[in-house]
Amino acid sequence: MTLLRVLLPLIFLVSFAGLSAAQDTSGDASVLTPGQQSLEDIMARQRGEDVPFGAELPLPLEGDAPPAESHLGPLGASSDADLWREIRADALPDARASNRGPAAKVLMQDGGMWWLNFRHGPLLTYGSLLLGVTVVLMAIFYLIRGRIRIEHGRAGITIERFKFIERFGHWLIASSFILLAITGLVSLAGRKLLIPLFGHEAFSTFAIAGKWVHNNVSWAFMLGLVMVFVMWIVHNLPDRTDINWILKGGGIFGKGHPPAKKFNAGQKLIFWAVIILGTSISVSGISLLFPFELTMFEPTLALLNDMGVPQLLGLGTIDATLTPQEEMQYAQLWHAVISFVLMAVIIAHIYIGTLGMEGAFEAMGSGDVDLEWAREHHSIWADEVVAKQGKPASGTQPAE
Amino acid sequence: MKAFITAIVALVVLAAGMNFALDNAGFSAAEQTSSDRNVRLGD
């Protein structure tokens, strides 16, 4: 019995010690660390005592922070880094979206900032510079050379240079290109140049109208491009007269003009620039008109890799895997860069066809040109026309 | 300048016509980028 009296308190004490040991939670996520609040803190606040919490509590010392897997660490609930990494990399295996299209499931696309910065920075700066330099060069050329006159004066009789359908095709592509260039520049430079001038609301109306014009007038440009190509390809194939014309600089400086057919080498360069650059602008434009439908850059980059072009240039293998948005961004940049080049070419073309050369505009105005102008600038073609008509004045009309 | 005037008229007709045709063919931006297939609207 005496033994029992001694054992019972001992068992009680041992069991109490066991309970205390069971409550030792070192290594458990719920262990208090500096910065966390305890039950005593909560009870003290309920008694009305002033107990600091949150930002007022001292920050944990380095090494005292709870492990990353803690449910209530300093950052609150644990963040699923892998999930966000997958979202950022467009690699969610089971993503679903109510939107249609291949880009609907891409929530983050970090190439967007690079594109935006390039679009508002170098593209706009160097594009504007190109157009400005072209205008300045034309002005300098005009000051040095002046207007290219018909050296021997007008003959007073005209021959037909372009038929109605040819002039229709020219004006279709010309008028649509001017509209597309203006509206394209508005959409590119509007945020930087026009919003500060007119304000957001006025620019918004202008930009919406400009977008409608740009999207829908593009079809007229493409039709004009096809017409011009079909009608004039035969006259624009390179031949030996072009070499002589180029060697003599087209007779721009000095007297006398190198012989040329219906189109001289300079006009052939304009023609091919319009056809090649215009086609490139059209294809990239269609890709932008129907987003995510036409993939241009991924197969092109893959083809270049296969051909070893970037490797030859020391660039290594280019990453040819593009997100749908990157496809669109490259298409937009390509569309704008090539358009700037074509705009520069067309500025030079407009100059020489109007202010720069006497008698040139009549070719596209009325369709008839003075015989002397034709003999000076397109002597081979003029001789052919005259020979076909029997004698110089036969079938020609007096110049007005 | 008849050719120029005719070209301008053709440009306007083409622009309006293509816009009308593409809108009616379901190529508007709104139709291309939204769908009610996976969304329950109403109740």
PDB file of all heavy atoms in Angstrom, chain A residues 97-100 164 167-168 171-172 175-176 212 216 219-220 223 290 293 365, chain B residues 3-4 6-8 10-11 14-15 18-19 27 31-35 38-39:
ATOM      1  N   ALA A  97     -10.104  28.331 -71.661  1.00  0.00           N
ATOM      2  CA  ALA A  97     -10.485  29.739 -71.761  1.00  0.00           C
ATOM      3  C   ALA A  97     -11.795  29.847 -72.513  1.00  0.00           C
ATOM      4  O   ALA A  97     -12.080  29.035 -73.391  1.00  0.00           O
ATOM      5  CB  ALA A  97      -9.392  30.514 -72.493  1.00  0.00           C
ATOM      6  N   SER A  98     -12.600  30.842 -72.150  1.00  0.00           N
ATOM      7  CA  SER A  98     -13.868  31.040 -72.859  1.00  0.00           C
ATOM      8  C   SER A  98     -13.632  31.758 -74.178  1.00  0.00           C
ATOM      9  O   SER A  98     -14.476  31.740 -75.056  1.00  0.00           O
ATOM     10  CB  SER A  98     -14.840  31.839 -71.987  1.00  0.00           C
ATOM     11  OG  SER A  98     -14.276  33.091 -71.669  1.00  0.00           O
ATOM     12  N   ASN A  99     -12.463  32.410 -74.320  1.00  0.00           N
ATOM     13  CA  ASN A  99     -12.134  33.065 -75.589  1.00  0.00           C
ATOM     14  C   ASN A  99     -11.729  32.028 -76.621  1.00  0.00           C
ATOM     15  O   ASN A  99     -11.257  30.949 -76.279  1.00  0.00           O
ATOM     16  CB  ASN A  99     -10.955  34.019 -75.400  1.00  0.00           C
ATOM     17  CG  ASN A  99     -11.401  35.298 -74.766  1.00  0.00           C
ATOM     18  OD1 ASN A  99     -12.474  35.354 -74.183  1.00  0.00           O
ATOM     19  ND2 ASN A  99     -10.581  36.314 -74.872  1.00  0.00           N
ATOM     20  N   ARG A 100     -11.896  32.425 -77.880  1.00  0.00           N
ATOM     21  CA  ARG A 100     -11.436  31.539 -78.951  1.00  0.00           C
ATOM     22  C   ARG A 100     -10.050  31.958 -79.401  1.00  0.00           C
ATOM     23  O   ARG A 100      -9.555  32.993 -79.030  1.00  0.00           O
ATOM     24  CB  ARG A 100     -12.409  31.611 -80.127  1.00  0.00           C
ATOM     25  CG  ARG A 100     -13.599  30.696 -79.945  1.00  0.00           C
ATOM     26  CD  ARG A 100     -14.417  30.670 -81.203  1.00  0.00           C
ATOM     27  NE  ARG A 100     -15.320  31.813 -81.251  1.00  0.00           N
ATOM     28  CZ  ARG A 100     -16.169  32.026 -82.249  1.00  0.00           C
ATOM     29  NH1 ARG A 100     -16.223  31.209 -83.259  1.00  0.00           N
ATOM     30  NH2 ARG A 100     -16.970  33.056 -82.234  1.00  0.00           N
ATOM     31  N   PHE A 164      -6.277  54.073-120.268  1.00  0.00           N
ATOM     32  CA  PHE A 164      -7.139  54.375-119.124  1.00  0.00           C
ATOM     33  C   PHE A 164      -6.966  53.338-118.006  1.00  0.00           C
ATOM     34  O   PHE A 164      -6.799  53.685-116.835  1.00  0.00           O
ATOM     35  CB  PHE A 164      -8.606  54.424-119.577  1.00  0.00           C
ATOM     36  CG  PHE A 164      -9.571  54.650-118.440  1.00  0.00           C
ATOM     37  CD1 PHE A 164      -9.882  55.938-118.022  1.00  0.00           C
ATOM     38  CD2 PHE A 164     -10.166  53.579-117.779  1.00  0.00           C
ATOM     39  CE1 PHE A 164     -10.765  56.158-116.964  1.00  0.00           C
ATOM     40  CE2 PHE A 164     -11.043  53.783-116.722  1.00  0.00           C
ATOM     41  CZ  PHE A 164     -11.343  55.066-116.317  1.00  0.00           C
ATOM     42  N   ARG A 167      -3.752  53.773-116.080  1.00  0.00           N
ATOM     43  CA  ARG A 167      -3.795  54.918-115.168  1.00  0.00           C
ATOM     44  C   ARG A 167      -4.723  54.636-113.987  1.00  0.00           C
ATOM     45  O   ARG A 167      -4.443  55.025-112.853  1.00  0.00           O
ATOM     46  CB  ARG A 167      -4.260  56.173-115.923  1.00  0.00           C
ATOM     47  CG  ARG A 167      -3.150  56.771-116.785  1.00  0.00           C
ATOM     48  CD  ARG A 167      -3.628  57.972-117.555  1.00  0.00           C
ATOM     49  NE  ARG A 167      -4.471  57.554-118.677  1.00  0.00           N
ATOM     50  CZ  ARG A 167      -5.618  58.120-118.991  1.00  0.00           C
ATOM     51  NH1 ARG A 167      -6.089  59.130-118.286  1.00  0.00           N
ATOM     52  NH2 ARG A 167      -6.314  57.687-120.019  1.00  0.00           N
ATOM     53  N   PHE A 168      -5.804  53.894-114.255  1.00  0.00           N
ATOM     54  CA  PHE A 168      -6.729  53.513-113.178  1.00  0.00           C
ATOM     55  C   PHE A 168      -5.978  52.661-112.138  1.00  0.00           C
ATOM     56  O   PHE A 168      -6.071  52.910-110.928  1.00  0.00           O
ATOM     57  CB  PHE A 168      -7.907  52.733-113.768  1.00  0.00           C
ATOM     58  CG  PHE A 168      -8.807  52.124-112.729  1.00  0.00           C
ATOM     59  CD1 PHE A 168      -9.769  52.878-112.096  1.00  0.00           C
ATOM     60  CD2 PHE A 168      -8.674  50.775-112.373  1.00  0.00           C
ATOM     61  CE1 PHE A 168     -10.585  52.326-111.121  1.00  0.00           C
ATOM     62  CE2 PHE A 168      -9.482  50.203-111.410  1.00  0.00           C
ATOM     63  CZ  PHE A 168     -10.449  50.974-110.779  1.00  0.00           C
ATOM     64  N   TRP A 171      -3.527  54.887-110.161  1.00  0.00           N
ATOM     65  CA  TRP A 171      -4.153  55.780-109.177  1.00  0.00           C
ATOM     66  C   TRP A 171      -4.820  54.996-108.040  1.00  0.00           C
ATOM     67  O   TRP A 171      -4.934  55.495-106.923  1.00  0.00           O
ATOM     68  CB  TRP A 171      -5.151  56.720-109.845  1.00  0.00           C
ATOM     69  CG  TRP A 171      -4.478  57.787-110.650  1.00  0.00           C
ATOM     70  CD1 TRP A 171      -4.619  58.036-111.973  1.00  0.00           C
ATOM     71  CD2 TRP A 171      -3.526  58.743-110.168  1.00  0.00           C
ATOM     72  NE1 TRP A 171      -3.814  59.083-112.365  1.00  0.00           N
ATOM     73  CE2 TRP A 171      -3.132  59.537-111.266  1.00  0.00           C
ATOM     74  CE3 TRP A 171      -2.954  59.007-108.927  1.00  0.00           C
ATOM     75  CZ2 TRP A 171      -2.209  60.575-111.147  1.00  0.00           C
ATOM     76  CZ3 TRP A 171      -2.035  60.031-108.811  1.00  0.00           C
ATOM     77  CH2 TRP A 171      -1.671  60.810-109.914  1.00  0.00           C
ATOM     78  N   LEU A 172      -5.246  53.779-108.344  1.00  0.00           N
ATOM     79  CA  LEU A 172      -5.839  52.948-107.286  1.00  0.00           C
ATOM     80  C   LEU A 172      -4.777  52.617-106.235  1.00  0.00           C
ATOM     81  O   LEU A 172      -5.001  52.777-105.027  1.00  0.00           O
ATOM     82  CB  LEU A 172      -6.407  51.652-107.888  1.00  0.00           C
ATOM     83  CG  LEU A 172      -7.235  50.782-106.944  1.00  0.00           C
ATOM     84  CD1 LEU A 172      -8.489  51.518-106.477  1.00  0.00           C
ATOM     85  CD2 LEU A 172      -7.638  49.470-107.631  1.00  0.00           C
ATOM     86  N   SER A 175      -3.466  56.184-104.568  1.00  0.00           N
ATOM     87  CA  SER A 175      -4.345  56.835-103.586  1.00  0.00           C
ATOM     88  C   SER A 175      -4.504  55.972-102.341  1.00  0.00           C
ATOM     89  O   SER A 175      -4.517  56.479-101.215  1.00  0.00           O
ATOM     90  CB  SER A 175      -5.699  57.160-104.206  1.00  0.00           C
ATOM     91  OG  SER A 175      -6.223  56.003-104.821  1.00  0.00           O
ATOM     92  N   SER A 176      -4.607  54.660-102.540  1.00  0.00           N
ATOM     93  CA  SER A 176      -4.753  53.790-101.369  1.00  0.00           C
ATOM     94  C   SER A 176      -3.471  53.796-100.545  1.00  0.00           C
ATOM     95  O   SER A 176      -3.524  53.814 -99.311  1.00  0.00           O
ATOM     96  CB  SER A 176      -5.131  52.366-101.784  1.00  0.00           C
ATOM     97  OG  SER A 176      -4.170  51.842-102.663  1.00  0.00           O
ATOM     98  N   TRP A 212     -10.305  52.031 -89.259  1.00  0.00           N
ATOM     99  CA  TRP A 212     -11.283  51.523 -90.226  1.00  0.00           C
ATOM    100  C   TRP A 212     -10.742  51.719 -91.651  1.00  0.00           C
ATOM    101  O   TRP A 212     -10.768  50.799 -92.476  1.00  0.00           O
ATOM    102  CB  TRP A 212     -12.631  52.254 -90.053  1.00  0.00           C
ATOM    103  CG  TRP A 212     -13.753  51.624 -90.816  1.00  0.00           C
ATOM    104  CD1 TRP A 212     -14.670  50.734 -90.342  1.00  0.00           C
ATOM    105  CD2 TRP A 212     -14.076  51.824 -92.205  1.00  0.00           C
ATOM    106  NE1 TRP A 212     -15.528  50.363 -91.341  1.00  0.00           N
ATOM    107  CE2 TRP A 212     -15.187  51.012 -92.494  1.00  0.00           C
ATOM    108  CE3 TRP A 212     -13.536  52.598 -93.221  1.00  0.00           C
ATOM    109  CZ2 TRP A 212     -15.775  50.957 -93.757  1.00  0.00           C
ATOM    110  CZ3 TRP A 212     -14.113  52.537 -94.501  1.00  0.00           C
ATOM    111  CH2 TRP A 212     -15.214  51.727 -94.748  1.00  0.00           C
ATOM    112  N   ASN A 216      -9.665  48.633 -94.250  1.00  0.00           N
ATOM    113  CA  ASN A 216     -10.528  48.373 -95.408  1.00  0.00           C
ATOM    114  C   ASN A 216      -9.983  48.882 -96.733  1.00  0.00           C
ATOM    115  O   ASN A 216     -10.279  48.314 -97.786  1.00  0.00           O
ATOM    116  CB  ASN A 216     -11.928  48.936 -95.140  1.00  0.00           C
ATOM    117  CG  ASN A 216     -12.610  48.195 -94.003  1.00  0.00           C
ATOM    118  OD1 ASN A 216     -12.891  47.003 -94.110  1.00  0.00           O
ATOM    119  ND2 ASN A 216     -12.850  48.880 -92.901  1.00  0.00           N
ATOM    120  N   TRP A 219      -7.526  46.591 -99.239  1.00  0.00           N
ATOM    121  CA  TRP A 219      -7.936  45.728-100.358  1.00  0.00           C
ATOM    122  C   TRP A 219      -7.754  46.437-101.693  1.00  0.00           C
ATOM    123  O   TRP A 219      -7.393  45.807-102.692  1.00  0.00           O
ATOM    124  CB  TRP A 219      -9.385  45.269-100.181  1.00  0.00           C
ATOM    125  CG  TRP A 219      -9.581  44.584 -98.863  1.00  0.00           C
ATOM    126  CD1 TRP A 219     -10.194  45.082 -97.754  1.00  0.00           C
ATOM    127  CD2 TRP A 219      -9.095  43.279 -98.500  1.00  0.00           C
ATOM    128  NE1 TRP A 219     -10.128  44.180 -96.724  1.00  0.00           N
ATOM    129  CE2 TRP A 219      -9.470  43.067 -97.156  1.00  0.00           C
ATOM    130  CE3 TRP A 219      -8.387  42.289 -99.173  1.00  0.00           C
ATOM    131  CZ2 TRP A 219      -9.154  41.894 -96.478  1.00  0.00           C
ATOM    132  CZ3 TRP A 219      -8.072  41.131 -98.500  1.00  0.00           C
ATOM    133  CH2 TRP A 219      -8.454  40.930 -97.171  1.00  0.00           C
ATOM    134  N   ALA A 220      -8.010  47.749-101.710  1.00  0.00           N
ATOM    135  CA  ALA A 220      -7.798  48.526-102.938  1.00  0.00           C
ATOM    136  C   ALA A 220      -6.312  48.539-103.297  1.00  0.00           C
ATOM    137  O   ALA A 220      -5.949  48.427-104.473  1.00  0.00           O
ATOM    138  CB  ALA A 220      -8.311  49.950-102.747  1.00  0.00           C
ATOM    139  N   LEU A 223      -5.458  45.171-104.780  1.00  0.00           N
ATOM    140  CA  LEU A 223      -5.983  45.052-106.154  1.00  0.00           C
ATOM    141  C   LEU A 223      -5.116  45.858-107.118  1.00  0.00           C
ATOM    142  O   LEU A 223      -4.750  45.375-108.205  1.00  0.00           O
ATOM    143  CB  LEU A 223      -7.450  45.520-106.212  1.00  0.00           C
ATOM    144  CG  LEU A 223      -8.089  45.492-107.586  1.00  0.00           C
ATOM    145  CD1 LEU A 223      -8.185  44.071-108.132  1.00  0.00           C
ATOM    146  CD2 LEU A 223      -9.477  46.139-107.571  1.00  0.00           C
ATOM    147  N   PHE A 290      -6.199  39.283 -89.918  1.00  0.00           N
ATOM    148  CA  PHE A 290      -6.808  38.053 -89.398  1.00  0.00           C
ATOM    149  C   PHE A 290      -5.864  37.460 -88.346  1.00  0.00           C
ATOM    150  O   PHE A 290      -5.100  36.543 -88.651  1.00  0.00           O
ATOM    151  CB  PHE A 290      -7.057  37.059 -90.537  1.00  0.00           C
ATOM    152  CG  PHE A 290      -7.909  37.622 -91.636  1.00  0.00           C
ATOM    153  CD1 PHE A 290      -7.344  38.073 -92.810  1.00  0.00           C
ATOM    154  CD2 PHE A 290      -9.284  37.730 -91.477  1.00  0.00           C
ATOM    155  CE1 PHE A 290      -8.128  38.621 -93.817  1.00  0.00           C
ATOM    156  CE2 PHE A 290     -10.068  38.275 -92.476  1.00  0.00           C
ATOM    157  CZ  PHE A 290      -9.497  38.727 -93.651  1.00  0.00           C
ATOM    158  N   GLU A 293      -4.128  33.709 -87.580  1.00  0.00           N
ATOM    159  CA  GLU A 293      -4.540  32.771 -88.635  1.00  0.00           C
ATOM    160  C   GLU A 293      -3.374  32.442 -89.564  1.00  0.00           C
ATOM    161  O   GLU A 293      -3.299  31.361 -90.116  1.00  0.00           O
ATOM    162  CB  GLU A 293      -5.689  33.366 -89.461  1.00  0.00           C
ATOM    163  CG  GLU A 293      -6.969  33.656 -88.683  1.00  0.00           C
ATOM    164  CD  GLU A 293      -7.709  32.398 -88.301  1.00  0.00           C
ATOM    165  OE1 GLU A 293      -7.450  31.353 -88.910  1.00  0.00           O
ATOM    166  OE2 GLU A 293      -8.529  32.458 -87.356  1.00  0.00           O
ATOM    167  N   GLY A 365      -1.545  61.857-115.862  1.00  0.00           N
ATOM    168  CA  GLY A 365      -2.668  62.793-115.819  1.00  0.00           C
ATOM    169  C   GLY A 365      -3.642  62.517-116.958  1.00  0.00           C
ATOM    170  O   GLY A 365      -4.726  61.957-116.766  1.00  0.00           O
TER     171      GLY A 365
ATOM    172  N   ALA B   3      -9.409  58.782-114.920  1.00  0.00           N
ATOM    173  CA  ALA B   3      -8.865  57.560-114.327  1.00  0.00           C
ATOM    174  C   ALA B   3      -8.674  57.734-112.824  1.00  0.00           C
ATOM    175  O   ALA B   3      -8.950  56.812-112.037  1.00  0.00           O
ATOM    176  CB  ALA B   3      -7.533  57.206-114.988  1.00  0.00           C
ATOM    177  N   PHE B   4      -8.228  58.920-112.426  1.00  0.00           N
ATOM    178  CA  PHE B   4      -7.997  59.192-111.000  1.00  0.00           C
ATOM    179  C   PHE B   4      -9.319  59.175-110.231  1.00  0.00           C
ATOM    180  O   PHE B   4      -9.431  58.522-109.185  1.00  0.00           O
ATOM    181  CB  PHE B   4      -7.302  60.560-110.848  1.00  0.00           C
ATOM    182  CG  PHE B   4      -7.141  60.992-109.424  1.00  0.00           C
ATOM    183  CD1 PHE B   4      -6.217  60.376-108.591  1.00  0.00           C
ATOM    184  CD2 PHE B   4      -7.925  62.019-108.896  1.00  0.00           C
ATOM    185  CE1 PHE B   4      -6.073  60.767-107.266  1.00  0.00           C
ATOM    186  CE2 PHE B   4      -7.788  62.410-107.583  1.00  0.00           C
ATOM    187  CZ  PHE B   4      -6.860  61.790-106.765  1.00  0.00           C
ATOM    188  N   THR B   6     -12.127  57.793-111.120  1.00  0.00           N
ATOM    189  CA  THR B   6     -12.673  56.424-111.122  1.00  0.00           C
ATOM    190  C   THR B   6     -11.968  55.563-110.071  1.00  0.00           C
ATOM    191  O   THR B   6     -12.608  54.751-109.384  1.00  0.00           O
ATOM    192  CB  THR B   6     -12.501  55.778-112.513  1.00  0.00           C
ATOM    193  OG1 THR B   6     -12.909  56.719-113.505  1.00  0.00           O
ATOM    194  CG2 THR B   6     -13.341  54.516-112.657  1.00  0.00           C
ATOM    195  N   ALA B   7     -10.648  55.751-109.940  1.00  0.00           N
ATOM    196  CA  ALA B   7      -9.877  54.978-108.950  1.00  0.00           C
ATOM    197  C   ALA B   7     -10.336  55.317-107.533  1.00  0.00           C
ATOM    198  O   ALA B   7     -10.467  54.422-106.685  1.00  0.00           O
ATOM    199  CB  ALA B   7      -8.389  55.249-109.111  1.00  0.00           C
ATOM    200  N   ILE B   8     -10.606  56.598-107.278  1.00  0.00           N
ATOM    201  CA  ILE B   8     -11.061  57.000-105.933  1.00  0.00           C
ATOM    202  C   ILE B   8     -12.430  56.372-105.637  1.00  0.00           C
ATOM    203  O   ILE B   8     -12.669  55.852-104.534  1.00  0.00           O
ATOM    204  CB  ILE B   8     -11.143  58.548-105.831  1.00  0.00           C
ATOM    205  CG1 ILE B   8      -9.754  59.166-105.997  1.00  0.00           C
ATOM    206  CG2 ILE B   8     -11.775  58.974-104.507  1.00  0.00           C
ATOM    207  CD1 ILE B   8      -8.781  58.900-104.872  1.00  0.00           C
ATOM    208  N   ALA B  10     -13.638  53.656-106.958  1.00  0.00           N
ATOM    209  CA  ALA B  10     -13.417  52.215-106.779  1.00  0.00           C
ATOM    210  C   ALA B  10     -12.866  51.921-105.394  1.00  0.00           C
ATOM    211  O   ALA B  10     -13.246  50.943-104.745  1.00  0.00           O
ATOM    212  CB  ALA B  10     -12.457  51.703-107.850  1.00  0.00           C
ATOM    213  N   LEU B  11     -11.982  52.800-104.929  1.00  0.00           N
ATOM    214  CA  LEU B  11     -11.379  52.626-103.597  1.00  0.00           C
ATOM    215  C   LEU B  11     -12.454  52.669-102.509  1.00  0.00           C
ATOM    216  O   LEU B  11     -12.485  51.812-101.613  1.00  0.00           O
ATOM    217  CB  LEU B  11     -10.349  53.735-103.389  1.00  0.00           C
ATOM    218  CG  LEU B  11      -9.521  53.767-102.104  1.00  0.00           C
ATOM    219  CD1 LEU B  11      -8.165  54.391-102.393  1.00  0.00           C
ATOM    220  CD2 LEU B  11     -10.193  54.543-101.004  1.00  0.00           C
ATOM    221  N   LEU B  14     -14.747  49.589-102.817  1.00  0.00           N
ATOM    222  CA  LEU B  14     -14.040  48.386-102.345  1.00  0.00           C
ATOM    223  C   LEU B  14     -13.938  48.364-100.818  1.00  0.00           C
ATOM    224  O   LEU B  14     -14.179  47.324-100.192  1.00  0.00           O
ATOM    225  CB  LEU B  14     -12.624  48.366-102.925  1.00  0.00           C
ATOM    226  CG  LEU B  14     -12.378  47.503-104.153  1.00  0.00           C
ATOM    227  CD1 LEU B  14     -10.963  47.743-104.665  1.00  0.00           C
ATOM    228  CD2 LEU B  14     -12.568  46.031-103.837  1.00  0.00           C
ATOM    229  N   ALA B  15     -13.585  49.515-100.247  1.00  0.00           N
ATOM    230  CA  ALA B  15     -13.409  49.580 -98.790  1.00  0.00           C
ATOM    231  C   ALA B  15     -14.729  49.276 -98.083  1.00  0.00           C
ATOM    232  O   ALA B  15     -14.779  48.437 -97.181  1.00  0.00           O
ATOM    233  CB  ALA B  15     -12.888  50.959 -98.394  1.00  0.00           C
ATOM    234  N   MET B  18     -15.829  45.515 -98.838  1.00  0.00           N
ATOM    235  CA  MET B  18     -15.060  44.494 -98.119  1.00  0.00           C
ATOM    236  C   MET B  18     -15.389  44.499 -96.632  1.00  0.00           C
ATOM    237  O   MET B  18     -15.461  43.450 -95.992  1.00  0.00           O
ATOM    238  CB  MET B  18     -13.554  44.706 -98.328  1.00  0.00           C
ATOM    239  CG  MET B  18     -13.066  44.295 -99.689  1.00  0.00           C
ATOM    240  SD  MET B  18     -13.467  42.600-100.141  1.00  0.00           S
ATOM    241  CE  MET B  18     -12.375  41.680 -99.074  1.00  0.00           C
ATOM    242  N   ASN B  19     -15.589  45.705 -96.090  1.00  0.00           N
ATOM    243  CA  ASN B  19     -15.955  45.798 -94.676  1.00  0.00           C
ATOM    244  C   ASN B  19     -17.295  45.110 -94.437  1.00  0.00           C
ATOM    245  O   ASN B  19     -17.457  44.329 -93.488  1.00  0.00           O
ATOM    246  CB  ASN B  19     -16.028  47.274 -94.257  1.00  0.00           C
ATOM    247  CG  ASN B  19     -16.370  47.412 -92.789  1.00  0.00           C
ATOM    248  OD1 ASN B  19     -15.640  46.956 -91.943  1.00  0.00           O
ATOM    249  ND2 ASN B  19     -17.497  48.013 -92.500  1.00  0.00           N
ATOM    250  N   PHE B  27     -16.108  37.769 -89.685  1.00  0.00           N
ATOM    251  CA  PHE B  27     -14.693  38.070 -89.471  1.00  0.00           C
ATOM    252  C   PHE B  27     -14.488  39.331 -88.633  1.00  0.00           C
ATOM    253  O   PHE B  27     -13.395  39.866 -88.599  1.00  0.00           O
ATOM    254  CB  PHE B  27     -13.966  38.238 -90.812  1.00  0.00           C
ATOM    255  CG  PHE B  27     -13.561  36.932 -91.416  1.00  0.00           C
ATOM    256  CD1 PHE B  27     -14.218  36.432 -92.519  1.00  0.00           C
ATOM    257  CD2 PHE B  27     -12.535  36.203 -90.859  1.00  0.00           C
ATOM    258  CE1 PHE B  27     -13.856  35.222 -93.073  1.00  0.00           C
ATOM    259  CE2 PHE B  27     -12.166  34.989 -91.395  1.00  0.00           C
ATOM    260  CZ  PHE B  27     -12.822  34.499 -92.508  1.00  0.00           C
ATOM    261  N   GLU B  31     -16.360  38.927 -83.096  1.00  0.00           N
ATOM    262  CA  GLU B  31     -16.752  37.525 -83.314  1.00  0.00           C
ATOM    263  C   GLU B  31     -15.552  36.591 -83.284  1.00  0.00           C
ATOM    264  O   GLU B  31     -15.666  35.418 -82.951  1.00  0.00           O
ATOM    265  CB  GLU B  31     -17.468  37.394 -84.655  1.00  0.00           C
ATOM    266  CG  GLU B  31     -18.898  37.919 -84.585  1.00  0.00           C
ATOM    267  CD  GLU B  31     -19.623  37.694 -85.890  1.00  0.00           C
ATOM    268  OE1 GLU B  31     -20.063  36.571 -86.150  1.00  0.00           O
ATOM    269  OE2 GLU B  31     -19.745  38.661 -86.660  1.00  0.00           O
ATOM    270  N   GLN B  32     -14.399  37.137 -83.676  1.00  0.00           N
ATOM    271  CA  GLN B  32     -13.204  36.302 -83.715  1.00  0.00           C
ATOM    272  C   GLN B  32     -12.607  36.033 -82.346  1.00  0.00           C
ATOM    273  O   GLN B  32     -11.916  35.063 -82.140  1.00  0.00           O
ATOM    274  CB  GLN B  32     -12.136  36.972 -84.599  1.00  0.00           C
ATOM    275  CG  GLN B  32     -12.407  36.845 -86.074  1.00  0.00           C
ATOM    276  CD  GLN B  32     -12.340  35.405 -86.549  1.00  0.00           C
ATOM    277  OE1 GLN B  32     -11.323  34.753 -86.457  1.00  0.00           O
ATOM    278  NE2 GLN B  32     -13.455  34.886 -87.024  1.00  0.00           N
ATOM    279  N   THR B  33     -12.876  36.923 -81.403  1.00  0.00           N
ATOM    280  CA  THR B  33     -12.171  36.804 -80.115  1.00  0.00           C
ATOM    281  C   THR B  33     -13.079  36.444 -78.954  1.00  0.00           C
ATOM    282  O   THR B  33     -12.642  36.465 -77.816  1.00  0.00           O
ATOM    283  CB  THR B  33     -11.437  38.118 -79.785  1.00  0.00           C
ATOM    284  OG1 THR B  33     -12.391  39.177 -79.841  1.00  0.00           O
ATOM    285  CG2 THR B  33     -10.315  38.392 -80.754  1.00  0.00           C
ATOM    286  N   SER B  34     -14.343  36.147 -79.211  1.00  0.00           N
ATOM    287  CA  SER B  34     -15.203  35.776 -78.090  1.00  0.00           C
ATOM    288  C   SER B  34     -16.085  34.593 -78.464  1.00  0.00           C
ATOM    289  O   SER B  34     -16.325  34.321 -79.633  1.00  0.00           O
ATOM    290  CB  SER B  34     -16.066  36.967 -77.676  1.00  0.00           C
ATOM    291  OG  SER B  34     -16.931  37.305 -78.730  1.00  0.00           O
ATOM    292  N   SER B  35     -16.531  33.919 -77.432  1.00  0.00           N
ATOM    293  CA  SER B  35     -17.399  32.769 -77.655  1.00  0.00           C
ATOM    294  C   SER B  35     -18.247  32.555 -76.412  1.00  0.00           C
ATOM    295  O   SER B  35     -17.804  32.856 -75.298  1.00  0.00           O
ATOM    296  CB  SER B  35     -16.542  31.531 -77.931  1.00  0.00           C
ATOM    297  OG  SER B  35     -17.324  30.369 -77.773  1.00  0.00           O
ATOM    298  N   ASN B  38     -18.314  28.094 -73.667  1.00  0.00           N
ATOM    299  CA  ASN B  38     -17.965  27.574 -72.344  1.00  0.00           C
ATOM    300  C   ASN B  38     -18.455  28.465 -71.216  1.00  0.00           C
ATOM    301  O   ASN B  38     -17.985  28.376 -70.101  1.00  0.00           O
ATOM    302  CB  ASN B  38     -16.441  27.420 -72.239  1.00  0.00           C
ATOM    303  CG  ASN B  38     -15.941  26.425 -73.256  1.00  0.00           C
ATOM    304  OD1 ASN B  38     -16.595  25.429 -73.517  1.00  0.00           O
ATOM    305  ND2 ASN B  38     -14.798  26.721 -73.856  1.00  0.00           N
ATOM    306  N   VAL B  39     -19.388  29.347 -71.524  1.00  0.00           N
ATOM    307  CA  VAL B  39     -19.879  30.273 -70.502  1.00  0.00           C
ATOM    308  C   VAL B  39     -21.380  30.087 -70.339  1.00  0.00           C
ATOM    309  O   VAL B  39     -22.102  30.026 -71.328  1.00  0.00           O
ATOM    310  CB  VAL B  39     -19.593  31.739 -70.924  1.00  0.00           C
ATOM    311  CG1 VAL B  39     -20.038  32.693 -69.837  1.00  0.00           C
ATOM    312  CG2 VAL B  39     -18.122  31.914 -71.208  1.00  0.00           C
TER     313      VAL B  39
END
